[in-house]
Amino acid sequence: MSGVWLFNAAASALLLPPLNLILLCALGLLLRLRWPRLGMAVSVLALLVLTVCSTRFGAGLFVAPLEKQNPPLQLNDAAGTQAIVVLGGGRLTNAPEYAGQDIPSSASLQRLRYAAHLYRGTHLPVLVSGGRPDGGYTSEASVMAHVLQEDFSVPVRWLEPASNNTAENAQLSARMLRAAGVKRILLVTDAIHMQRAKWIFMQTGLEVVAAPTIYISHAHTTPADFLPSSQGLQLSAYALHEWLGLGWYRWRHPNLAH
């Protein structure tokens, strides 16, 4: 398992809900020992924010602005593209119903399904990108390629099996694509992740046409969306992770962000 991946995972846990808000609540309890009103206010605020972030409605406040930055692809926008690049979104290891094989996570499977849809409309060659940041026996790219070929009947021309994060996805994929003379790509990932991924791939010199999928904020609102849930908290954490990443890239590459 990659040391960089472990460091990034630990940093994310500290900066994102629920742990950051739990720590803030604990800080409020400590402050109460000397400043009771201030400590109580800090703890109550932390709990209120945690409650809002745990609802799908609250998560939508962070998710919707991310998704609006990249509207769904229109096929005429794909003109001039030379390849479809699909980024891994995680996998489930040791799936017993598949004789212990690794299988794509729900997010990865939806990305692969959309890539197959694009392939049928364009017949562009496909690259899948994903390494072994979780310490798995096989790369995520291998798992993705197997599903595309066996379940969707989509051939995969390139496998990029060594990347452990989005930056490495871009660097290593761009190296393979440049060697094949590819300069303009359709990039497939979920809509929440797309803006950061697009910026990073553009930094390699590739021309990037966004092909996002999994639009969370377009779902119909129901009363259950206002109740705290683990799904709502997970969505908030994911969206906030992307906002932090976008802030980091705006700071490091101010010209790219405009």
Side-chain angles (χ1 to χ4, degrees):
M1 187 175 293
S2 167
V4 174
W5 183 85
L6 285 173
F7 174 80
N8 288 339
S12 293
L14 287 171
L15 292 171
L16 297 172
L19 185 55
N20 63 345
L21 295 170
I22 292 172
L23 292 174
L24 183 61
C25 184
L27 175 63
L29 294 176
L30 289 175
L31 290 173
R32 285 189 66 190
L33 299 175
R34 186 163 183 181
W35 299 286
R37 290 184 178 179
L38 175 61
M40 178 62 75
V42 170
S43 293
V44 169
L45 176 63
L47 291 175
L48 286 174
V49 173
L50 180 59
T51 300
V52 172
C53 287
S54 297
T55 66
R56 283 182 62 89
F57 174 80
L61 300 176
F62 307 112
V63 169
L66 284 170
E67 294 186 341
K68 286 178 181 177
Q69 296 183 69
N70 293 283
L73 176 74
Q74 304 299 317
L75 275 183
N76 58 347
D77 296 334
T81 55
Q82 300 165 281
I84 298 169
V85 177
V86 194
L87 305 186
R91 37 96 175 269
L92 303 176
T93 59
N94 195 32
E97 72 275 32
Y98 290 98
Q101 295 182 38
D102 293 353
I103 61 174
S105 67
S106 177
S108 283
L109 188 58
Q110 291 184 68
R111 296 179 189 184
L112 293 172
R113 181 183 180 185
Y114 187 54
H117 170 74
L118 292 175
Y119 172 79
R120 293 188 181 98
T122 65
H123 294 286
L124 292 171
V126 176
L127 180 149
V128 292
S129 177
R132 300 186 299 116
D134 54 1
Y137 291 111
T138 60
S139 70
E140 194 173 342
S142 296
V143 174
M144 295 163 68
H146 176 78
V147 170
L148 277 175
Q149 291 166 166
E150 296 299 321
D151 298 340
F152 293 103
S153 299
V154 172
V156 174
R157 182 172 298 184
W158 304 282
L159 276 77
E160 184 289 292
S163 57
N164 291 324
N165 52 51
T166 306
E168 292 179 4
N169 286 148
Q171 294 162 7
L172 299 176
S173 296
R175 188 179 303 165
M176 300 174 74
L177 293 167
R178 281 196 297 266
V182 173
K183 299 179 180 178
R184 182 175 170 85
I185 64 168
L186 284 175
L187 181 62
V188 177
T189 185
D190 56 85
I192 295 175
H193 179 230
M194 178 56 77
Q195 187 65 19
R196 185 167 65 92
K198 183 172 72 173
W199 283 359
I200 296 171
F201 269 79
M202 288 170 60
Q203 193 69 8
T204 69
L206 290 171
E207 295 179 45
V208 179
V209 176
T213 186
I214 320 175
Y215 282 88
I216 303 295
S217 63
H218 287 233
H220 295 298
T221 301
T222 70
D225 292 339
F226 297 90
L227 298 175
S229 67
S230 58
Q231 185 184 43
L233 184 59
Q234 185 178 26
L235 274 176
S236 289
Y238 183 22
L240 287 168
H241 177 272
E242 292 305 314
W243 281 117
L244 287 173
L246 287 172
W248 171 253
Y249 277 95
R250 278 195 178 101
W251 179 69
R252 289 193 65 189
H253 307 290
N255 294 328
L256 187 62
H258 296 289

